Amino acid sequence: MSASREAQAGVVQELTDELGADVVRTSDEQREAYRYDWARDPDAVLPLAVVLPRNVEQVQATMRWATRHGVFVIPRGAGSGLSGGASAQAGSIVLCLERMTAIEVDPATRTARAQAGALNASVKQAAAEHGLWYPPDPSSFQISTIGGNVATNAGGLCCVKYGVTVDYVLGLQVVLADGRLITLGGPRLKDVAGLPLIKLLVGSEGTLGIVTEVLCRLVPKLPEPATLVAIFETLTDAARAVVTTCATSRPSMVELIDNASINAVEDHRAMGLDRAAGAMLLIQSDAAGESRALELAAARAACEEASATEIFETDDPDEGAMFVEARRAVFPALERLGAYMLEDVGAPVPLLPELVGGVADIAAEHDLLIAVVAHAGDGNTHPVIVYDASNEDEKRRAATAFTQIMELALSLGGTITGEHGVGRLKQPLLSRQLGEDVMGLQHAIRKVWDPQGLLNPGAGY
Amino acid sequence: MSASREAQAGVVQELTDELGADVVRTSDEQREAYRYDWARDPDAVLPLAVVLPRNVEQVQATMRWATRHGVFVIPRGAGSGLSGGASAQAGSIVLCLERMTAIEVDPATRTARAQAGALNASVKQAAAEHGLWYPPDPSSFQISTIGGNVATNAGGLCCVKYGVTVDYVLGLQVVLADGRLITLGGPRLKDVAGLPLIKLLVGSEGTLGIVTEVLCRLVPKLPEPATLVAIFETLTDAARAVVTTCATSRPSMVELIDNASINAVEDHRAMGLDRAAGAMLLIQSDAAGESRALELAAARAACEEASATEIFETDDPDEGAMFVEARRAVFPALERLGAYMLEDVGAPVPLLPELVGGVADIAAEHDLLIAVVAHAGDGNTHPVIVYDASNEDEKRRAATAFTQIMELALSLGGTITGEHGVGRLKQPLLSRQLGEDVMGLQHAIRKVWDPQGLLNPGAGY
């Protein structure tokens, strides 16, 4: 929406009149609080207003109003996105579902019906109360919402064995751009009636509609895993161990943490990690009986073959959980070192050594600290470019490295984003991955759902 | 395409001139051979020609020609579809990919690159040569193609634990309606760059493009399963055992076979099944160690609670495989009893007893034999309405029952098709399941991909 400031204020007032000032927030402070997501996109601007609906009817009213006046809408969950997919835009409102948090578990159908604003952790908790498990576990699971997870098709640590968000969505309630409400799917494990629109929506980054409710598939709780931790002199050695491990078995977790990440975690909160380690590999097996022993033995052999300097195994779930916690602590720890750009590139698993080796070359070329953590078992890496934002030259070098890392991934037949989404920060490279024909199809599909182009403009594809 | 017979012949001749008479078949006999798929849709007509391309370039040439002349195109794999999705239509050609059967396995990335015409069984076989497994296993796996499996998002017996076709598609090569070729995905386990078009295409029943190549995800081969077979007096008892079993554990197979199916199999080929059994439940566990023992114990307890009259367990893989073979023999056996209409309805698992009970009521109401087999663990049932095609009254009653069974599934919050696809036979009920808003979105998306409406007209949504 582009109009004079007065006209804009009048338009916003119309929504306030309908939904009340408790739902439609317009103070500078409130708008500032919803300007950025975790990507801290420097191009984010103050939104016209922040709308905090309490129910689906208010979401519908908001979209009817937006359609009437041509107002851009930035859908938002917890704002924990890492690609700038929820950066506020000029002439936009932020439509944040954080108040819609109801969760209802049905153990009979093994499903959880969660409003979009419910935290991933809350869904897990509600499932656990019935002995059930909601697998998808982005590192952010304690702070990110199910709606946001659906928007990005969030992955996580366990997805190397248990899949990503889309694998656990059986149904969606979606408010269309014009305010109509549609319901897709249901507590049915198999359903091929019509085009699979649920699958199209998961990962669509808020560009096709506002997801207001998610019907999540739950599975029986699994046994506690055993954990193997291996230390390597170099990240490339550790990556080679990953390739060998994953060629023959299917562990429930394969996480890689480099030296810089280990030290950032130790600086932040001493956990007793080996500061001298070039890299640490964290492998878990939740298989039962002899399969578990076989998986761990295969992982150990792979680590030894890749010159691991130390290998530690434990069956104690708490001890294993401590290492997982250390892994999850990497981003918060790195955040304290300065500004950062977080990558999310992926490659076919056998090319993981080339990918992390190439990232090291880019870091050396630009004299930058690029820490690397990776969901290594599915080839998804998170190089984190740390830089001093007050140093213009370093900032420029960081931006160049950010692009070069994506180009590296593409040259290896990989992807510019494995689980965070394109958002706004990765958009410049997307057409190089997909090609113009595919981009054209995507734009045309977007137009079907959102003819006026109101939903999350500039984000995604 | 509607035109005079002479004009049509000229148009077809143009394609023959380009691709040769070996690729473009026009004899009455050849056209008749591709008129029907397994659904034997009575409305299928002779196609103008059958096109049997040997490579993707010939598929592209065919689509360019079809676009130029507005010729309808019915994509076809092995013609083993059960919903009439490949019935030839007036003014159409049948574009059959049965000659494009190349398969290339890459053990490093654990993928198989299969041309669309490769049989599912051939992909499984190629994977097995590398100690790998391609899980999706529709009952037709020995005769159906990967391309057809992708078109319908085929399920099968193992999908209760291992998911359906879409869960194993990492990439697609697709010829668009106008002949352009696009490539989607690659050997990357996680990739959220752009809209998930692969997921949209799997299950799109040949309405969005011609899938020419599929990049299949493979997984390590699993241990041989243990098998539990339970006999019940009634199908409803057996269904109750399924509900209890699946509420707490996740077996690798949960198949249900009713008395009529058992007797049809025994008539066809004596396998020593209990002809007096009201129903037989076939449960397998491929879990390791104590998990296997726990799963089997849970299944046994559930069967006992549901008044099983006999329970048999075996660790012998060959013995287990014999029961699975008996299950797979049901359709060929029932086929011999007369004409039939094959249902594919699903419901939430806890409502399985209501679904099979309702089917029995419908059978009684219309004095029809309706045999029932079910992938019971995911609520997907295949009632088979057997009738005498020469008896007009019985034929009418069968048709009424076919519709009523779909209505029953919808009344239980289920689906009219769990894994066979809508095709042409189930289309009349689709909008009642999806609603007009969703139908509208689907039609608009279809138009994006196929503006002239050439691809599989009348099939799907």
Side-chain angles (χ1 to χ4, degrees):
Chain A
M1 175 184 180
S2 58
S4 73
R5 186 168 289 201
E6 292 70 29
Q8 287 180 339
V11 166
V12 171
Q13 187 58 47
E14 184 184 315
L15 188 63
T16 309
D17 291 345
E18 183 172 358
L19 301 181
D22 172 57
V23 171
V24 182
R25 307 294 184 89
T26 53
S27 79
D28 285 356
E29 196 188 357
Q30 288 160 334
R31 289 152 63 216
E32 181 64 36
Y34 291 83
R35 176 176 185 162
Y36 300 103
D37 61 19
W38 271 37
R40 305 288 307 171
D41 177 358
D43 296 333
V45 301
L46 276 192
L48 297 175
V50 177
V51 179
L52 302 171
R54 293 190 180 277
N55 53 51
V56 68
E57 291 77 16
Q58 292 182 339
V59 177
Q60 293 185 266
T62 303
M63 290 313 304
R64 277 193 299 264
W65 165 85
T67 288
R68 217 154 53 226
H69 297 289
V71 179
F72 298 138
V73 176
I74 312 297
R76 180 185 173 110
S80 58
L82 295 163
S83 295
S87 313
Q89 302 296 300
S92 79
I93 59 161
V94 169
L95 176 57
C96 178
L97 299 200
E98 65 187 21
R99 282 171 164 177
M100 292 174 58
T101 60
I103 301 172
E104 204 178 298
V105 172
D106 177 14
T109 54
R110 284 216 297 246
T111 55
R113 191 175 292 280
Q115 285 187 308
L119 295 183
N120 176 306
S122 306
V123 175
K124 279 191 199 304
Q125 176 58 34
E129 283 163 19
H130 297 270
L132 296 168
W133 180 41
Y134 174 68
D137 64 341
S139 293
S140 62
F141 80 100
Q142 288 172 313
I143 55 163
S144 62
T145 65
I146 285 292
N149 291 177
V150 165
T152 56
N153 189 15
L157 281 64
C158 78
C159 60
V160 63
K161 183 165 180 181
Y162 294 102
V164 294
T165 300
V166 69
D167 300 312
Y168 296 89
V169 178
L170 292 178
L172 291 175
Q173 194 186 61
V174 184
V175 175
L176 301 180
D178 62 10
R180 279 177 297 157
L181 180 71
I182 62 170
T183 302
L184 299 166
R188 305 182 285 270
L189 299 182
K190 274 158 76 186
D191 186 355
V192 296
L195 284 179
L197 298 188
I198 292 173
K199 304 263 185 205
L200 180 67
L201 283 157
V202 179
S204 63
E205 301 194 43
T207 63
L208 303 184
I210 310 290
V211 171
T212 51
E213 191 179 279
V214 184
L215 186 68
C216 303
R217 179 178 191 172
L218 308 176
V219 296
K221 214 180 157 191
L222 288 179
E224 295 285 0
T227 303
L228 179 148
V229 178
I231 303 296
F232 298 84
E233 277 182 17
T234 70
L235 189 57
T236 310
D237 283 350
R240 286 195 296 120
V242 170
V243 175
T244 315
T245 301
C246 294
T248 55
S249 67
R250 215 172 169 193
S252 57
M253 187 179 294
V254 185
E255 293 289 317
L256 192 53
I257 310 172
D258 78 346
N259 175 272
S261 304
I262 290 170
N263 280 286
V265 170
E266 282 298 311
D267 288 344
H268 179 39
R269 174 178 157 206
M271 299 188 83
L273 303 179
D274 179 357
R275 283 179 174 274
M280 186 174 96
L281 184 56
L282 176 60
I283 296 179
Q284 291 194 324
S285 169
D286 63 1
E290 69 225 54
S291 298
R292 175 178 300 212
L294 285 172
E295 270 184 10
L296 291 173
R300 174 179 281 274
C303 292
E304 282 168 356
E305 192 191 311
S307 311
T309 56
E310 202 189 322
I311 299 176
F312 167 79
E313 268 182 58
T314 177
D315 259 330
D316 179 352
D318 293 338
E319 205 169 10
M322 200 208 67
F323 285 103
V324 177
E325 205 184 318
R327 159 62 186 88
R328 292 194 192 274
V330 169
F331 290 156
L334 286 170
E335 258 195 312
R336 297 158 44 96
L337 301 185
Y340 66 94
M341 293 183 192
L342 175 53
E343 263 300 352
D344 176 41
V345 293
V349 175
L351 300 180
L352 192 63
E354 282 77 358
L355 182 60
V356 299
V359 170
D361 292 344
I362 291 168
E365 181 191 339
H366 298 291
D367 190 22
L368 286 165
L369 171 62
I370 306 185
V372 174
V373 287
H375 306 307
D378 36 39
N380 181 205
T381 71
H382 296 310
V384 185
I385 309 168
V386 182
Y387 65 99
D388 175 357
S390 67
N391 179 332
E392 281 304 320
D393 179 60
E394 193 166 316
K395 207 166 151 183
R396 220 169 8 247
R397 282 181 280 131
T400 304
F402 187 74
T403 301
Q404 284 181 345
I405 291 172
M406 288 192 275
E407 288 169 340
L408 168 66
L410 292 180
S411 75
L412 296 172
T415 177
I416 60 170
T417 175
E419 57 178 15
H420 293 170
V422 174
R424 290 177 176 82
L425 301 189
K426 286 166 171 290
Q427 221 201 25
L429 271 281
L430 184 64
S431 66
R432 280 168 62 182
Q433 178 170 339
L434 301 183
E436 290 308 328
D437 286 337
V438 174
M439 290 296 287
L441 284 167
Q442 302 210 347
H443 291 147
I445 291 170
R446 186 171 185 159
K447 196 152 190 175
V448 163
W449 293 75
D450 179 19
Q452 287 180 262
L454 303 179
L455 289 167
N456 221 0
Y461 44 94
Chain B
M1 175 182 178
S2 58
S4 73
R5 185 169 289 200
E6 292 70 27
Q8 286 181 341
V11 166
V12 170
Q13 188 57 47
E14 184 184 316
L15 188 64
T16 309
D17 291 344
E18 184 173 358
L19 300 182
D22 172 57
V23 171
V24 183
R25 307 293 184 88
T26 53
S27 78
D28 285 357
E29 196 187 358
Q30 288 159 335
R31 290 153 62 215
E32 180 65 35
Y34 291 83
R35 175 176 186 161
Y36 301 102
D37 61 19
W38 272 37
R40 305 287 307 171
D41 176 359
D43 296 334
V45 301
L46 275 192
L48 297 175
V50 178
V51 180
L52 301 172
R54 293 190 181 276
N55 54 51
V56 68
E57 291 76 16
Q58 292 182 338
V59 177
Q60 292 185 267
T62 303
M63 291 313 305
R64 278 193 299 263
W65 165 85
T67 288
R68 218 154 51 227
H69 297 290
V71 179
F72 298 138
V73 175
I74 312 298
R76 179 183 172 113
S80 59
L82 296 163
S83 295
S87 313
Q89 302 296 300
S92 79
I93 59 161
V94 170
L95 176 57
C96 178
L97 299 201
E98 66 188 20
R99 283 170 164 177
M100 292 174 59
T101 60
I103 302 172
E104 204 178 298
V105 172
D106 177 12
T109 53
R110 283 216 297 247
T111 55
R113 190 174 293 281
Q115 286 187 307
L119 296 183
N120 176 308
S122 306
V123 176
K124 278 190 199 305
Q125 175 58 33
E129 283 163 19
H130 297 270
L132 295 168
W133 180 43
Y134 175 69
D137 65 340
S139 293
S140 62
F141 80 100
Q142 287 171 314
I143 55 163
S144 62
T145 65
I146 285 291
N149 292 176
V150 165
T152 56
N153 188 16
L157 281 64
C158 77
C159 61
V160 61
K161 183 165 179 182
Y162 293 102
V164 294
T165 300
V166 70
D167 300 313
Y168 296 89
V169 177
L170 291 178
L172 290 176
Q173 195 187 59
V174 184
V175 174
L176 301 180
D178 61 11
R180 278 177 298 158
L181 180 71
I182 62 170
T183 302
L184 300 166
R188 305 181 286 269
L189 299 182
K190 275 158 76 186
D191 186 354
V192 296
L195 283 179
L197 299 188
I198 293 173
K199 303 265 185 202
L200 180 67
L201 282 157
V202 179
S204 62
E205 301 194 43
T207 63
L208 303 184
I210 310 289
V211 170
T212 51
E213 191 179 279
V214 184
L215 186 68
C216 304
R217 179 179 192 171
L218 308 176
V219 296
K221 214 179 157 190
L222 289 179
E224 295 285 0
T227 303
L228 180 149
V229 178
I231 303 297
F232 298 85
E233 279 183 15
T234 71
L235 188 58
T236 310
D237 282 350
R240 287 196 295 120
V242 170
V243 175
T244 315
T245 300
C246 294
T248 55
S249 67
R250 215 173 169 193
S252 57
M253 188 180 293
V254 185
E255 294 289 316
L256 192 53
I257 310 171
D258 78 346
N259 175 272
S261 304
I262 290 170
N263 280 286
V265 170
E266 283 297 312
D267 288 343
H268 178 39
R269 172 179 159 207
M271 300 189 82
L273 303 179
D274 179 358
R275 283 179 175 274
M280 186 173 97
L281 183 57
L282 176 60
I283 295 179
Q284 290 194 325
S285 169
D286 64 2
E290 69 224 55
S291 298
R292 175 178 300 212
L294 285 171
E295 271 184 9
L296 291 172
R300 175 180 281 272
C303 291
E304 283 168 354
E305 191 192 311
S307 310
T309 56
E310 203 188 321
I311 300 176
F312 167 79
E313 268 182 59
T314 177
D315 259 330
D316 179 351
D318 293 337
E319 205 170 9
M322 199 208 69
F323 285 103
V324 176
E325 205 184 319
R327 159 62 186 90
R328 291 195 193 274
V330 169
F331 290 157
L334 286 170
E335 259 196 310
R336 297 158 45 96
L337 300 185
Y340 65 94
M341 294 184 191
L342 174 54
E343 262 300 352
D344 176 39
V345 293
V349 175
L351 300 180
L352 193 62
E354 282 77 358
L355 182 60
V356 299
V359 170
D361 291 344
I362 292 169
E365 181 191 339
H366 297 291
D367 190 22
L368 287 164
L369 171 62
I370 306 185
V372 174
V373 288
H375 306 308
D378 36 39
N380 182 204
T381 71
H382 296 309
V384 185
I385 308 169
V386 183
Y387 64 98
D388 175 356
S390 67
N391 179 331
E392 281 304 319
D393 179 59
E394 193 166 315
K395 207 166 151 182
R396 222 172 2 251
R397 282 181 280 131
T400 305
F402 188 74
T403 300
Q404 284 181 344
I405 290 172
M406 289 192 275
E407 288 170 339
L408 167 67
L410 292 181
S411 76
L412 296 172
T415 177
I416 61 170
T417 175
E419 58 179 15
H420 293 170
V422 173
R424 291 179 174 82
L425 301 188
K426 287 168 169 288
Q427 221 201 24
L429 272 281
L430 185 65
S431 66
R432 281 170 60 183
Q433 178 169 337
L434 300 183
E436 290 307 327
D437 286 337
V438 174
M439 289 297 286
L441 284 167
Q442 303 210 346
H443 291 147
I445 291 171
R446 186 171 186 159
K447 197 152 190 176
V448 163
W449 293 75
D450 179 19
Q452 286 180 261
L454 302 178
L455 290 167
N456 221 1
Y461 45 95

